[in-house]
Amino acid sequence: MVHFESMERQDEFVYHLLGKHLKEPGVFLDVGCNLPQGGNNTYALEKYLKWDGFAFDIGDIEANHQWSEMRKSAFFQVDATTEGLTEILKNNLKEKTVDYISLDVDVGGIYRVADPFSGITRIIEGLNLSHFVLPRIIDAGISFKCMTLEHEAFKWDDTITGPTREILKTLGYKMLFEDVSFDSGDAWEDWWINPDLIPVDNIMSIYKKGSTFNECVDTLIKFTENEN
């Protein structure tokens, strides 16, 4: 039995979309991994499904949280917005198509952000950097089967969704679940797939926009169970 760890069921999404269908263990990239266990999006995939992968964070997760004592996957301390991430990926990934990317890169703190249209300044907690990190992954020649991408549109409107969606749609990816939301209705992630690489027929028939993460995962579970 798999004991899932993600705070918003991202690992369950990956399990029912890919994990339970694959004959061999998958490969992940955990970008903005934070803690090795407890709310981590890839811990369950590694522990219970024997997936392998690479984890990245700007903090020293090895020294501060003993990554290698809990995980077999490699950890790299790097600013993921820089070319350093691209070089690590180029030098360490033999296969350029990975099964899952968890992209959750933000910086703590309080920020004053001026709306470019109204001029009104908002006070925002945390700075999301996904739109700076995604091009670093693409520049390394990496493709994926599925990705959970944090955009926090409830804070940033289309600042992150605009450029990330343009890049990924141009490359042929599709949002299976767009603007995945908290129970409050605040949209904070897009869950992307390459439909041609997903071992579930007619997967795009369950596309949703603005649904909660519970609704998305429960819909996926029901759909894949019916397919079997």
Side-chain angles (χ1 to χ4, degrees), residues 75-128:
F75 168 75
F76 295 89
Q77 185 179 9
V78 63
D79 180 346
T81 67
T82 68
E83 292 181 0
L85 176 65
T86 302
E87 290 305 309
I88 292 171
L89 293 172
K90 285 182 177 179
N91 294 333
N92 287 276
L93 265 72
K94 296 179 181 179
E95 298 293 334
K96 297 303 182 182
T97 298
V98 299
D99 294 278
Y100 170 49
I101 300 177
S102 172
L103 179 49
D104 180 357
V105 179
D106 45 32
V107 180
I110 305 296
Y111 299 85
R112 292 179 175 272
V113 180
D115 186 295
F117 301 103
S118 68
I120 297 174
T121 297
R122 294 184 294 166
I123 306 299
I124 300 292
E125 182 178 357
L127 187 63
N128 191 294

Side-chain angles (χ1 to χ4, degrees), residues 110-178:
I110 305 296
Y111 299 85
R112 292 179 175 272
V113 180
D115 186 295
F117 301 103
S118 68
I120 297 174
T121 297
R122 294 184 294 166
I123 306 299
I124 300 292
E125 182 178 357
L127 187 63
N128 191 294
L129 302 172
S130 296
H131 54 316
F132 293 115
V133 177
L134 180 61
R136 302 300 185 186
I137 298 172
I138 302 301
D139 287 347
I142 303 300
S143 58
F144 62 86
K145 296 179 183 178
C146 68
M147 170 192 282
T148 56
L149 187 153
E150 182 182 277
H151 55 58
E152 296 181 305
F154 71 97
K155 294 182 183 178
W156 302 106
D157 300 320
D158 64 351
T159 301
I160 291 90
T161 58
T164 56
R165 289 174 181 175
E166 181 178 359
I167 290 171
L168 292 172
K169 286 179 178 179
T170 299
L171 293 172
Y173 295 103
K174 295 183 181 296
M175 284 177 282
L176 181 60
F177 299 130
E178 179 179 355

Side-chain angles (χ1 to χ4, degrees), residues 10 14 40 45 54 63-65 67 69 92 105-106 118 137 142 146 161 171 185 189-190 195 205 216:
Q10 290 92 336
V14 180
N40 182 277
L45 302 174
F54 300 87
N64 297 329
H65 301 287
W67 177 276
E69 293 184 13
N92 287 276
V105 179
D106 45 32
S118 68
I137 298 172
I142 303 300
C146 68
T161 58
L171 293 172
E189 285 195 345
D190 289 333
S205 67
C216 291

Side-chain angles (χ1 to χ4, degrees), residues 172-187:
Y173 295 103
K174 295 183 181 296
M175 284 177 282
L176 181 60
F177 299 130
E178 179 179 355
D179 284 334
V180 180
S181 301
F182 297 114
D183 289 337
S184 62
D186 291 334

